Amino acid sequence: MFAVVITEKGGAQRRMEFDKNEVTIGRVQGNDIILPKGNVSKRHSRIVLKDNRFIVVDLKSTNGTYVNGRKITSPLVVKPGDKVYIGDFIMTVEETAGAAAAAPAPEPSPSSPARRGPPPLRSAPPPAPEPEPPAPAPAPPSMPQAPVPQPSAAPAPAPAPAPAPAPAPQPMAAPAPAPAPAPAPEPPTAAAPTPAPSAPAPAPSAPAAPAPRPGPGPDTRGPARPSLGQASSTMADTGSLGSLMAGLRGRFDVDAVDGQDDQSRWARAKEAIEATLDDMDGQRDDGLVAAALGEAVGLGPFDALLEDPEVHTIVAEGPRKILVDRGAGLTPENVGFSSATMLATIGRRLLARGGTDADGGGPILRATLPEGERVTVMLPPVAVGGPLVEVRRSAAAGADGLVARGMLDQNVLGVLERAVAARKNVAVIGPAQLAGELLAALATFVDDDERFVTVGASDLALGRPHVALGPGGGLDIGAVARYGALLEADRFIVHGAAGGDALEALAAMASRGGGSFIGYGGSNGGDPTAALQLGARLAGRADAEAIAALVASAVDVVVHVEHTADGPRVSSVAEVTGANGSGVAASTLFAYDGSFQTQGSPSF
């Protein structure tokens, strides 16, 4: 129906032809056009042919889709010859010879899915009706259905056909002019069609639907993973999805963990879903089919949510309660899974992507996906109410983005940038997600030639090479931090420390001098360093004065982040000035009270 010509910058050109109305573009298996480069999103964009126009749609890709050098922010109609830029690739679309021939196909009726041209089973007879009045125009598609009402069709048509024998269907193959009116008396349920106006002609195609029964539109011919927006099932249709998935189990292995990138498996699942709908006599609803396909082979609603760059955290508290954090805290999302069993299966698929085998691994399992997302899956009996799946996206490394979201302002950011440049040790205290985002932003202020060693920071998207260490083998974050501090590095980051981890993490930072960061789970109790001191005391190996001295030597700047009524905010910034007996002296630089208020000047 149309072709796409793809040219990689500095590389060869290739041409791909498609006989459907929509193709998806991305870097992973399951797309119609696969562009295997890091600057192309997993599901990047799609091209739609509608009303003889080509429309390019960006699927919230990370790096954007450009047409003739301009970034598109909404669906855009393109002409043959217009250049579509995706990552390192340039594409143009063009009509093929088959597209022009296929154009008249939609004539039969608006409700009849005749988008695939060939369904009438014969392509030679259509020229025959041309001498007839306008009514025969829709007749060619329905002619193959004429044999259905064989018993009643013979006596009614008296219009002088040469073949007098009773079997009226036979003339369909040979006589051209005379049998054309035969379809008019075809419908057995209506007497009105006798005058053979053009309106009754489409009516017979409805009763005869079981013969050609096309699937859900243009993408039935290819394996085509569902595009964004289709793969999610809303809360309103999860009942229908549950019935479809229950029926599908008998003919397709919906509980398989592997095969998410197997193109042929997607195709087999699509066929099985359509066969199941046939058995159920179900309506062909594109959204329902796509939702079932996503659960049978993909990640269900998680597929679309993971493609949304604004999503930081996804929590499925059972199949019907999905919470999503787009930067302002967790809020309910109007999507769901067909059953708790499918949610558990999709949790296992996520773990498999991160290299974790869920079988025999216990009811609590964790993994890190290739792109940095951290997955936690809790199963019964630990998860009393059913499977719980949490996906926490890597913290975005971008200070400007945090300013745009209102997490801090330019004044606060400027002071923190000066602290990094002056090689001050910075402690970020608060919820792990927010602390991680700020730590990643601080890392962008470090020169590119400086070497990083991180401990417990696998969910930080630093956007640069670094040595990553994590707890395991009987060692907690504190112990790994102690050994990690011995490695040669310009910058040292500890993230995810909590409780008694603080003592060894602070000792590791103090041993390295300046230029280190720590992300610590705690709250602002009025004293900027209170959470660190309390955590260090939990280790039980030092008195209050020793801990105060340790905190004062290990930390220069303390930043508190928290969820406020206004959204995520840096609630305070303080500079540590020294130890005072069993306490730590600090000077507040900024405090948030509806706005960021300057309260002091830093010494650096």
Side-chain angles (χ1 to χ4, degrees), residues 416-440:
L416 295 179
E417 185 174 5
R418 285 163 55 188
V420 173
R423 300 193 64 81
K424 299 298 182 182
N425 284 351
V426 180
V428 181
I429 300 174
Q433 176 76 21
L434 300 183
E437 291 182 2
L438 187 55
L439 288 174

Side-chain angles (χ1 to χ4, degrees), residues 231-239 241-242 245 249 295 299-302 305 314-323 332-347 378-380 383-390:
S232 301
S233 59
T234 63
M235 295 304 291
D237 65 18
T238 48
L241 179 61
M245 294 303 294
R249 285 181 179 276
E295 285 202 359
L299 300 176
F302 283 142
L305 293 172
I314 310 165
V315 180
E317 297 179 353
R320 300 289 188 270
K321 187 176 181 181
I322 314 299
L323 305 172
E333 190 81 359
N334 191 32
V335 295
F337 295 85
S338 63
S339 65
T341 300
M342 279 311 310
L343 174 58
T345 295
I346 287 171
M378 296 186 178
L379 302 171
V384 178
L388 186 148
V389 179
E390 177 183 283

Side-chain angles (χ1 to χ4, degrees), residues 402-403 405-413 559-561 564 566-573 589-599:
L402 301 186
V403 173
R405 286 168 50 199
M407 189 168 168
L408 70 171
D409 67 4
Q410 288 291 351
N411 292 330
V412 176
L413 185 63
V559 183
H560 279 273
V561 291
T564 72
D566 300 323
R569 292 291 184 272
V570 169
S571 57
S572 67
V573 180
L589 305 178
F590 293 96
Y592 181 81
D593 184 13
S595 63
F596 295 99
Q597 304 291 329
T598 302
Q599 297 191 0

Side-chain angles (χ1 to χ4, degrees), residues 35 132 153 158 213 231 251 288 414 424 445 451 502 509 530 563-564 567 573 591:
L35 306 178
E132 299 297 324
R213 189 155 198 169
R251 51 170 41 99
L288 180 61
K424 299 298 182 182
F445 298 139
R451 185 169 185 263
M509 290 181 64
H563 291 287
T564 72
V573 180

Side-chain angles (χ1 to χ4, degrees), residues 302 305-306 308-316 322-327 329-331 333 373-374 389-394 432-434 437 563:
F302 283 142
L305 293 172
L306 287 172
D308 187 344
E310 296 181 358
V311 171
H312 301 296
T313 303
I314 310 165
V315 180
I322 314 299
L323 305 172
V324 173
D325 182 4
R326 289 184 170 85
L330 290 169
T331 56
E333 190 81 359
E373 298 96 338
R374 294 198 342 191
V389 179
E390 177 183 283
V391 181
R392 183 174 294 176
R393 190 184 294 280
S394 301
Q433 176 76 21
L434 300 183
E437 291 182 2
H563 291 287

Side-chain angles (χ1 to χ4, degrees), residues 18-82:
F18 300 94
D19 60 354
K20 54 185 181 178
N21 292 348
E22 179 178 323
V23 297
T24 58
I25 305 164
R27 77 166 184 274
V28 298
Q29 291 290 330
N31 290 288
D32 300 291
I33 299 175
I34 301 173
L35 306 178
K37 284 294 183 73
N39 54 7
V40 178
S41 295
K42 289 184 288 187
R43 301 283 178 272
H44 198 105
S45 58
R46 66 173 175 258
I47 299 173
V48 180
L49 176 59
K50 183 177 182 181
D51 299 330
N52 293 323
R53 298 187 303 170
F54 295 108
I55 303 170
V56 175
V57 183
D58 183 75
L59 300 177
K60 295 184 178 179
S61 62
T62 301
N63 294 316
T65 301
Y66 294 77
V67 174
N68 295 331
R70 306 183 77 174
K71 186 175 183 179
I72 66 172
T73 56
S74 59
L76 181 69
V77 176
V78 296
K79 304 181 296 297
D82 284 347

